[in-house]
Amino acid sequence: MELIKQRVTQLIDQLTLDEKLAQLGSYWMYELQTNGELDRKKISENLKYGIGQISRVAGASTLDPANAAKAANRLQKFLIENTRHAIPAILHEECCMGSMILGGTTFPQMLGLASTFKPEFAEAMTTVIRRQLRAIGAHQGLAPVLDVSLDPRWGRVEETFGEDPMLVSHFGVAYIKGLQGENLKNGIMATAKHFIGHSLSQGGLNCAPAHMGMRVLYDIYLGPFQAAIRDAGLASMMNAYPELDGEVVAASRRILTDLLRGELGFDGLVVSDYEAVVMLHNYHNLAADLSTAGRLALTAGIDVELPTTVCYGDPLKAALEAGDLNLETVDLAVSRHLQKKIELGLFENPYVDEGRVLEVFETSENRNLAREIAVQSMVLLKNDGLLPLDKNIKTLAVIGPNANNGRNQLGDYSYASMSQLMEFQSPLGSSFVNIDMDKLARHEVKVETVLEGISTFVSPDTRILYAKGCENMSGDTSGFKDAVNAAEQSDAVVLALGDCSGLIPTCTTGEFRDSADLKVPGVQEELARAIIATGKPVAVVLVNGRPYAIPSLADNANAILEAWLPGEEGGPAIADVLFGARNPGGKLPVSLPRSVGQLPIFYNAKPSGMKSNPYVDYVSEKVTPLYCFGHGLSYTRFKYSTLSIDRRHATSGEVVNISLKVRNVGEIMGDEVVQLYIRDEFASMPRPVKELKGYRRITLKPDEERTLTFHLPVDQLAFYDENLKLCVESGRILVMVGSSSEDIRLCDDFEITGGRKIFIKDRVFVCPISVE
């Protein structure tokens, strides 16, 4: 590392001011193109001093992987051969649910990934993403989202790993490890976002102020970022858009330098969220001009402005000339960017092998992984015995706007979604180039729909009746008649409802698409009532990006399968579960509310939370969720027994071993997620009524029994005291093991000893588990 720093210092000493400022900036890929092709004149003019980053060579164009690699090589060749110091650019792409490029594998969206309760899937998924992005010449991925999600009105909930900070940290660390690989010379820089507070926005509105105290910030929201930095070696961080307690994060040195670098020890690169710097001027009304916006952001700790240079570059030069900014601040940011370029091996190996690009795209291995994650992400919310369906069913109606729409199985940061945005004027002001839809169609990855998955699965003698019924968001009910007719002729109905995820006004979830009511959009619930009124057995499949408030469906449908946004293999995965080829084993990583009026609702509330004193419930509604965190049914049953704790007293630094047996007492093989919760009964600060501290998904054959032992570190029970000091306190700890946060099967307790308060240095995020 010392040699890298010496190399950076020597290079900075040779750079002119224009060359330094160029390293802090970026350009959209399309700003270097004319009619979809790289333009030598634009490249020569815009990149004459070099450039820090190029935004989405593939993700903001219609280039397929092979041509994206050629374009990346051409850009690097210009920088190496035509700029004074031959500094390559970092090329970044989006990669939330897969490589967001034409032909990239599209996995289940993150909320579905979290429903597997298997973080190893995140690492397997991002290993594929890393190989695909490296193949096209990219070096940085703008993911994962580590925001803890407590308000499903916010459109980006689908991009999160849910409401539990430990679960988010586990998936985040695994995601980063897979993306970055063993070292950055062969990896992709992960970019954790959004630091910090983005998800708890006022009214659930995107980029609105976040209202939270520092203890909530430390106890809940910092955890996943702490784990990413310390346990995964996170390379890059992205700021949050909102203001936090009145301080805009993008202009806050207290947050982006003192907290992030000083307290958390982050030593990587901080990049701006897209247009976050200019938003200091035109959104938050904090900066009177572009120069002030740039100065505030750079001084706060944002090293690179994305997606294009607006407030850095010349506006920063003006701030320097006016004496409002010192050169040392510029040099520090430049040094961080150059350091990452060296760590990525860009100076020695700036090009990719154009002849081998397609080896990692559209492979059977990638599709199999996408399908397996999708299958294991399915959460069976309700089942009165209708599921699994018989594949030899005589007549089956498949109804709903998401029954035969592959596009709607994809998340907001999928290429299909972004291709729509390219044709639309961004709400934040960026003009995207129009795309060639014919070219898109030739290279688009095949997405298997629910209807196609079912049609492939059922007997050749089964008659399938399909009716769309309605659109996702329209108020048009003219399709109800055909849908009801199909239902009346059937022996059972699969009703596929839900969202169209994306960033444009016709979408119902995703960035910019926040919800005030949490209802299934449009007239879909009215369609459901019409179908249920036929008296036919109805299995509702939710293909959606946010948790809905669906009490009427919970009361009246025979079965409800939560499929989230299951990706390119979602249709076959849903069919596998509907017909019992695979037993659903996913669990909810978020609480599903009964009503939007309950929000925010989450399982790890404080003792005074989630109840109205003294009568508990609302006047018109219960306070409990419709479906709780950790909930998920199976086609089989599991018995928990023989809970034992190896010690009744333990102190900081020690481990408490908690063992139990789980047996499959049903007739088919199935998965169970065994969940360990604790409660610090009395503490100097009120502690949550339950906190997830460990979990393990196991597969059991009929009558098979396994013994699980949670090796719980006492220091995992630490929290921040009244002075924001991390401590373990003596006292009684309640132990709860169960199938969900509410379905607790076994209970016991132990006591922490060793003094009223023991201060510790680092948080512990992992409870090791052994299975015998």
Side-chain angles (χ1 to χ4, degrees), residues 28 44 47 107 112 116 219 358 400 698 733:
W28 275 110
S44 299
L47 306 187
F107 294 95
T116 68
D219 251 356
L358 297 182
I698 57 173
I733 302 297

Side-chain angles (χ1 to χ4, degrees), residues 557-605:
N558 299 91
I560 305 174
L561 181 67
E562 176 59 82
W564 301 118
L565 300 169
E568 65 183 46
E569 283 289 311
I574 289 168
D576 282 346
V577 172
L578 288 176
F579 290 94
R582 298 292 297 273
N583 193 344
K587 301 283 188 174
L588 289 176
V590 288
S591 303
L592 268 59
R594 299 173 186 275
S595 165
V596 72
Q598 293 179 302
L599 299 182
I601 185 170
F602 43 90
Y603 87 92
N604 50 351

Side-chain angles (χ1 to χ4, degrees), residues 64-294:
D64 59 36
N67 285 308
K70 291 178 182 178
N73 281 347
R74 184 176 168 188
L75 289 169
Q76 302 288 27
K77 183 177 176 65
F78 174 87
L79 291 168
I80 290 166
E81 296 181 356
N82 296 279
T83 62
R84 286 202 319 133
H85 301 287
I87 302 174
I90 289 176
L91 312 183
H92 72 254
E93 299 284 353
E94 298 282 1
C95 61
C96 184
M97 61 181 300
S99 306
M100 200 200 77
I101 61 180
L102 190 56
T105 304
T106 307
F107 294 95
Q109 181 61 297
M110 298 301 93
L111 203 55
L113 177 65
S115 296
T116 68
F117 274 69
K118 292 180 71 171
E120 56 266 36
F121 274 147
E123 185 168 358
M125 184 185 95
T126 53
T127 298
V128 173
I129 294 171
R130 166 166 48 88
R131 291 168 180 162
Q132 292 185 346
L133 293 187
R134 266 288 177 176
I136 66 166
H139 316 100
Q140 182 173 5
L142 303 187
V145 172
L146 297 185
D147 297 303
V148 177
S149 170
L150 300 184
D151 192 336
R153 293 175 298 178
W154 186 49
R156 302 189 74 171
V157 164
E158 66 178 64
E159 299 176 47
T160 76
F161 295 118
E163 72 183 42
D164 181 79
M166 188 194 70
L167 190 70
V168 175
S169 72
H170 290 179
F171 275 91
V173 166
Y175 189 106
I176 293 163
K177 286 182 176 180
L179 195 59
Q180 294 190 168
E182 294 183 1
N183 60 72
L184 288 183
K185 286 192 175 180
N186 298 305
I188 294 291
M189 283 203 303
T191 308
K193 56 190 187 185
H194 306 82
F195 195 84
I196 193 167
H198 195 11
S199 58
L200 196 64
S201 57
Q202 181 176 308
L205 295 168
N206 196 46
C207 301
H211 303 291
M212 67 176 75
M214 291 304 293
R215 191 160 289 101
V216 171
L217 178 73
Y218 274 71
D219 251 356
I220 303 297
Y221 290 88
L222 274 187
F225 293 98
Q226 289 174 307
I229 293 166
R230 188 192 69 196
D231 299 343
L234 177 70
S236 181
M237 189 75 78
M238 179 178 279
N239 70 281
Y241 283 120
E243 60 178 80
L244 181 62
D245 191 27
E247 190 172 8
V248 181
V249 173
S252 174
R253 185 171 180 83
R254 183 174 66 92
I255 295 172
L256 295 181
T257 296
D258 298 343
L259 176 59
L260 177 59
R261 296 188 184 277
E263 291 192 42
L264 301 191
F266 179 67
D267 64 353
L269 184 71
V270 176
V271 301
S272 78
D273 206 339
Y274 277 17
E275 304 191 20
V277 180
V278 72
M279 286 170 66
L280 296 176
H281 168 63
N282 63 15
Y283 190 82
H284 294 288
N285 289 8
L286 180 68
D289 50 49
L290 300 184
S291 179
T292 303

Side-chain angles (χ1 to χ4, degrees), residues 399-449:
I399 295 169
N402 284 357
N404 196 33
N405 190 324
R407 160 67 182 84
N408 287 1
Q409 294 173 194
L410 312 180
D412 60 344
Y413 275 84
S414 63
Y415 186 84
S417 168
M418 286 297 161
S419 67
Q420 292 179 317
L421 186 60
M422 291 178 195
E423 296 185 297
F424 185 81
Q425 181 68 23
S426 166
L428 298 185
S430 293
S431 298
F432 287 82
V433 66
N434 287 329
I435 67 169
D436 181 342
M437 296 304 291
D438 290 335
K439 186 174 183 180
L440 172 65
R442 289 199 302 274
H443 298 284
E444 193 170 21
V445 169
K446 172 65 175 174
V447 179
E448 300 283 345
T449 70

